[in-house]
Amino acid sequence: SAVISQKPSRDICQRGTSLTIQCQVDSQVTMMFWYRQQPGQSLTLIATANQGSEATYESGFVIDKFPISRPNLTFSTLTVSNMSPEDSSIYLCSVAVAFADTQYFGPGTRLTVL
Amino acid sequence: QQQVKQSPQSLIVQKGGISIINCAYENTAFDYFPWYQQFPGKGPALLIAIRPDVSEKKEGRFTISFNKSAKQFSLHIMDSQPGDSATYFCAASMNYGGSQGNLIFGKGTKLSVKP
């Protein structure tokens, strides 16, 4: 497995602003993912963060709203842009150490948009 | 085709009892079935996982039963303890050319174990 940290752990933001969430892993991993978990709900994949290239987004999620960077094998960022109250969720980073490995999740970032 | 259906939505069990959570899937291409445990304010933690070449996997008090023909799998928690109170998610994924694909999650089961 891998040790995953996320910053910030929580934030309260104003409508129309943007927040960048960081995900740091203690070892090089093959795959990194970003999920959203709305209050009391299940997990929905936003995108796969690809090292050195554009992220792969799932249906319903677009790069303009959720730009993602992955400059190396241990770090990624997710930005939630032009936020609205509907963006209030927990945002989770997950990683897979190897291509055939399962996914391990970070502690999450709890975002509240007023 | 991509859905994973999980039941029940919530479950109350007495301490020492058996907790059973069920999941069903449609896509026969799924070949990896993990269960995650999530405590409030924490990220999901991998609990146990199974592949379709076995019908059962046990790790301590946690057992996955897998029925390939019925396209169902379940989590059994034996001797349930108050510390097991959490939300449990089943998930499924398929292999794409050697790379494990995206996890498709069930809606979750909130388990409460009463002392």
Side-chain angles (χ1 to χ4, degrees):
Chain A
S1 63
V3 177
I4 306 164
S5 60
Q6 285 186 233
K7 290 182 182 179
S9 58
R10 58 177 62 227
D11 207 341
I12 300 173
C13 301
Q14 294 298 318
R15 180 195 298 261
T17 63
S18 298
L19 176 72
T20 295
I21 302 168
Q22 299 179 3
C23 176
Q24 179 74 53
V25 190
D26 69 339
S27 58
Q28 292 187 349
V29 294
T30 305
M31 305 186 77
M32 298 182 78
F33 307 88
W34 287 97
Y35 286 81
R36 182 174 72 183
Q37 186 176 26
Q38 294 177 305
Q41 301 297 313
S42 188
L43 291 85
T44 301
L45 180 65
I46 297 172
T48 301
N50 301 309
Q51 195 244 334
S53 64
E54 194 171 285
T56 304
Y57 289 84
E58 297 300 304
S59 175
F61 297 96
V62 295
I63 187 171
D64 290 345
K65 176 68 175 176
F66 297 102
I68 288 171
S69 76
R70 189 180 172 191
N72 56 51
L73 293 176
T74 63
F75 185 80
S76 178
T77 66
L78 167 74
T79 299
V80 186
S81 303
N82 188 25
M83 288 184 287
S84 67
E86 291 71 35
D87 294 320
S88 297
S89 289
I90 300 172
Y91 291 86
L92 294 148
C93 169
S94 78
V95 305
V97 175
F99 282 115
D101 199 2
T102 193
Q103 292 182 31
Y104 300 93
F105 284 83
T109 295
R110 184 178 294 271
L111 171 62
T112 301
V113 183
L114 303 178
Chain B
Q1 277 283 346
Q2 291 293 326
Q3 213 172 9
V4 176
K5 295 182 180 180
Q6 183 173 348
S7 63
Q9 187 174 359
S10 63
L11 180 62
I12 299 174
V13 174
Q14 291 295 318
K15 178 182 176 181
I18 302 174
S19 303
I20 302 174
I21 304 170
N22 300 299
C23 283
Y25 63 97
E26 288 295 323
N27 192 338
T28 55
F30 287 144
D31 65 352
Y32 182 69
F33 303 90
W35 284 89
Y36 285 85
Q37 178 189 57
Q38 186 177 31
F39 292 104
K42 304 291 186 182
L46 178 66
L47 193 60
I48 188 172
I50 197 169
R51 293 190 183 272
D53 52 344
V54 296
S55 60
E56 186 174 282
K57 183 174 181 180
K58 184 176 181 179
E59 291 185 2
R61 296 185 294 110
F62 301 92
T63 300
I64 298 180
S65 296
F66 186 82
N67 186 329
K68 189 174 181 178
S69 60
K71 293 185 285 187
Q72 295 176 347
F73 58 110
S74 59
L75 175 68
H76 296 234
I77 305 175
M78 312 300 288
D79 187 26
S80 299
Q81 298 297 312
D84 297 330
S85 298
T87 300
Y88 292 81
F89 293 96
C90 65
S93 69
M94 67 183 79
N95 191 289
Y96 289 108
S99 177
Q100 204 63 43
N102 304 331
L103 286 171
I104 308 298
F105 282 88
K107 291 187 178 295
T109 297
K110 186 173 183 179
L111 171 66
S112 296
V113 181
K114 300 299 184 184

